[in-house]
Amino acid sequence: MLKKIFFGIMIILILNASLNDDRKLLKVEYFFNDVFKINNVLKKEQNINLCNNNALKEEINELKKLLELNTITSEYKIINATVIARNLEEYLDIVTIDKGKKDGIKNDMAVVTNEGLLGKTIKVSNNTSKVKLLTSPDIYNKISIMIQTESKKVYGILSRYEEKTNSFIIEGIDDLAIIKEGDLIYTTGLGEVYPTGILIGKVTRISKDHFDLSYNLKITPSSNFNNFHYVGVLDRGES
């Protein structure tokens, strides 16, 4: 449509210019320059709208995938929620969601995306809740994990998050354990906050500690902690 309008203007101006003197031709040239500028602006606006549409499509796909997670286990149901606030100063620490006590949310409920574990609820109010992410620098934000190897399950502790490499760090794994890059990491269910078997990430690097006595692992998160809009809060019901 824009192309048709643009070329229509050009044809009219050319016909008009052919019937006038050089001075008017110069005006026509200036006008053409303005038309080209307007056309470029319209193209930029179209590109912006296209980007916005793509972002909207991504959010819709994210929500659809989350809604496919009916239950993690028979003991848990999912309360779907939307992220409504994220402070840049606490970007990898805490987010706020639009569900709270009136929706059945309590402190220490596991929070997931369609890709895996995000964290747990804290500071629950009537209408909103804060979620502490696994990427939080809080030294007490450690959880028990299980590494699914080819031969057996290996247990350990998720120690911290390394922002520079976008990796979780697991330290002190028995060096007799046979672990490979690509092995998946899950929650153990210990501590009664996180259900058993929620995906956390996969092993991407294996190294020995300074004393050459145990393994340290780097884990790439399964969830994208930099870009998520919808979450599921796992309600374990009455104890």
Side-chain angles (χ1 to χ4, degrees):
M1 183 66 182
L2 289 174
K3 287 183 178 180
K4 291 181 180 179
I5 294 172
F6 177 67
F7 286 114
I9 292 172
M10 289 181 65
I11 291 170
I12 293 170
L13 290 172
I14 291 171
L15 292 173
N16 181 62
S18 65
L19 301 174
N20 293 284
D21 56 20
D22 292 341
R23 188 163 33 181
K24 288 189 176 181
L25 281 173
L26 185 59
K27 290 182 180 179
V28 170
E29 182 180 349
Y30 289 151
F31 189 79
F32 268 126
N33 288 337
D34 290 337
V35 171
F36 277 116
K37 288 179 182 178
I38 292 170
N39 189 54
N40 287 335
V41 170
L42 291 173
K43 284 182 178 180
K44 287 181 181 179
E45 288 181 352
Q46 285 182 322
N47 289 336
I48 290 172
N49 289 333
L50 181 60
C51 290
N52 289 338
N53 287 337
N54 288 338
L56 182 59
K57 287 178 181 178
E58 288 180 5
E59 288 190 27
I60 291 171
N61 287 334
E62 180 185 345
L63 181 58
K64 284 181 178 178
K65 290 178 181 177
L66 180 63
L67 293 175
E68 290 173 2
L69 298 175
N70 293 322
T71 55
I72 299 300
T73 71
S74 59
E75 299 176 355
Y76 290 78
K77 69 176 182 179
I78 294 180
I79 302 172
N80 295 311
T82 302
V83 176
I84 57 173
R86 192 169 189 178
N87 191 325
L88 289 177
E89 295 180 357
E90 301 177 316
Y91 198 74
L92 293 173
D93 189 8
I94 291 173
V95 299
T96 303
I97 59 175
D98 65 347
K99 297 292 175 66
K101 292 178 182 177
K102 68 178 181 60
D103 305 290
I105 294 179
K106 302 176 183 177
N107 285 337
D108 291 330
M109 285 184 169
V111 180
V112 300
T113 66
N114 59 290
E115 298 173 322
L117 186 63
L118 275 182
K120 65 179 181 180
T121 55
I122 61 171
K123 297 181 181 178
V124 178
S125 66
N126 193 46
N127 297 301
T128 64
S129 303
K130 291 188 180 297
V131 177
K132 180 173 284 294
L133 302 175
L134 289 184
T135 52
S136 170
D138 186 348
I139 60 173
Y140 299 105
N141 195 39
K142 299 181 179 181
I143 67 170
S144 174
I145 59 91
M146 173 184 68
I147 307 165
Q148 183 63 62
T149 70
E150 291 182 357
S151 58
K152 64 177 183 178
K153 298 174 182 178
V154 178
Y155 295 88
I157 299 293
L158 198 71
S159 303
R160 56 191 170 86
Y161 174 72
E162 189 175 83
E163 184 176 356
K164 184 178 180 181
T165 60
N166 183 33
S167 302
F168 292 120
I169 306 300
I170 298 175
E171 298 173 330
I173 299 295
D174 188 345
D175 65 347
L176 295 178
I178 302 175
I179 299 171
K180 298 179 180 179
E181 292 182 3
D183 284 346
L184 299 178
I185 311 298
Y186 297 92
T187 54
T188 63
L190 299 177
E192 298 185 354
V193 174
Y194 302 108
T196 304
I198 302 179
L199 182 63
I200 297 174
K202 65 179 179 180
V203 178
T204 51
R205 184 177 176 183
I206 305 168
S207 60
K208 283 292 189 74
D209 68 2
H210 295 302
F211 303 102
D212 202 31
L213 297 175
S214 61
Y215 287 129
N216 293 336
L217 310 178
K218 281 191 175 182
I219 309 301
T220 297
S222 57
S223 291
N224 184 350
F225 286 87
N226 290 309
N227 185 26
F228 60 91
H229 307 90
Y230 306 102
V231 302
V233 182
L234 305 188
D235 181 6
R236 58 185 176 272
E238 295 297 328
S239 300

